[in-house]
């Protein structure tokens, strides 16, 4: 299992000033009930009664794991969270997950912090069909696709000249301690001129986050022929 070296990090990691933090507005406990069996027919029955068949894995190598628990979560709750946050932001946010014997007044079986690992939506309706969660204890390291938020387009020198922003990446994968998973990463375009690009290594992140790909991979680039004032008016 991937774990932080507690001897070199005796105190809990915290978000640093100036870096994005999760919005407490969406700090919601996801409710679930146990599911004894799996299969297409069982999943179809769960969806028919307003539940999403789901799985919770134990964190082992940051992505896969054992100690599998079959559960079902509430369709309306998952749909609401995905709608409010956006799919990529939902998949980069920690939630408390409480498994109860039944929804409502049932006994609590397990309460654990989790990261949504995979989300399968219906192609036509965007209804959640399956959700996979992974347990996220503080000493774990998790592979997370962090969404990128581009800022400064209004003052970007290249865009102001009539060039355009070629967005190459919408998310970047990092190895993250769960306590400081960023909800997104700001990408500053305010000084980017024609022909210039930003690389993964240019992104400003918490020093405890580890890049999982080359730092030389491009994130975005200002490119294209300059548009004349007359063309812009058209």
């Amino acid at each position: 299992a991937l774990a932080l070296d507690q001897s070199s990090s005796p105190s809990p990691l915290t978000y640093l000033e100036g870096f994005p933090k999760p919005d407490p507005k969406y700090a919601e406990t996801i409710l679930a009930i146990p599911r004894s069996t799996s299969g297409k027919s069982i999943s179809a029955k769960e969806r028919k009664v307003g539940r999403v068949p789901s799985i919770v894995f134990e964190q082992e190598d940051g992505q896969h794991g054992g100690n599998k628990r079959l559960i079902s979560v509430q369709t309306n709750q998952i749909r609401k969270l995905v709608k409010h946050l956006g799919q990529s932001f939902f998949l980069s946010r920690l939630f408390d997950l409480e498994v109860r014997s039944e929804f409502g007044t049932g006994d609590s079986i397990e309460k654990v912090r989790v990261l949504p690992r995979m989300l399968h939506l219906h192609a036509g309706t965007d209804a959640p069909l399956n959700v996979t969660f992974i347990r996220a204890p503080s000493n774990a390291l998790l592979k997370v696709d962090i969404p990128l938020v581009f800022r400064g387009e209004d003052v970007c020198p290249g865009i102001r000249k009539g060039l355009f922003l070629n967005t190459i990446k919408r998310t970047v994968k990092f190895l993250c301690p769960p306590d400081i998973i960023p909800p997104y990463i700001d990408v500053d375009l305010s000084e980017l001129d024609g022909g210039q690009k930003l690389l993964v290594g240019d992104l400003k992140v918490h020093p405890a986050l580890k890049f999982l790909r080359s730092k030389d991979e491009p994130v975005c680039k200002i490119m294209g022929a300059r548009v004349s004032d007359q063309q812009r008016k058209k």
Side-chain angles (χ1 to χ4, degrees), residues 39-53 72:
K40 289 186 177 180
S41 61
I42 297 297
S43 295
K45 290 178 181 178
E46 290 295 285
R47 297 184 190 109
K48 191 173 182 179
V49 296
R51 298 195 290 258
V52 183
S72 290

Side-chain angles (χ1 to χ4, degrees), residues 37-91:
T37 56
S38 60
K40 289 186 177 180
S41 61
I42 297 297
S43 295
K45 290 178 181 178
E46 290 295 285
R47 297 184 190 109
K48 191 173 182 179
V49 296
R51 298 195 290 258
V52 183
S54 306
I55 300 174
V56 184
F57 283 109
E58 187 70 43
Q59 189 275 336
E60 286 188 351
D61 68 353
Q63 185 170 13
H64 307 290
N67 191 15
K68 181 173 72 174
R69 183 188 288 279
L70 298 176
I71 60 171
S72 290
V73 294
Q74 297 169 304
T75 300
N76 288 342
Q77 185 178 28
I78 301 301
R79 185 196 290 268
K80 180 192 71 175
L81 287 169
V82 174
K83 179 181 179 180
H84 288 173
L85 291 166
Q87 184 172 349
S88 60
F89 294 86
F90 173 76
L91 292 171

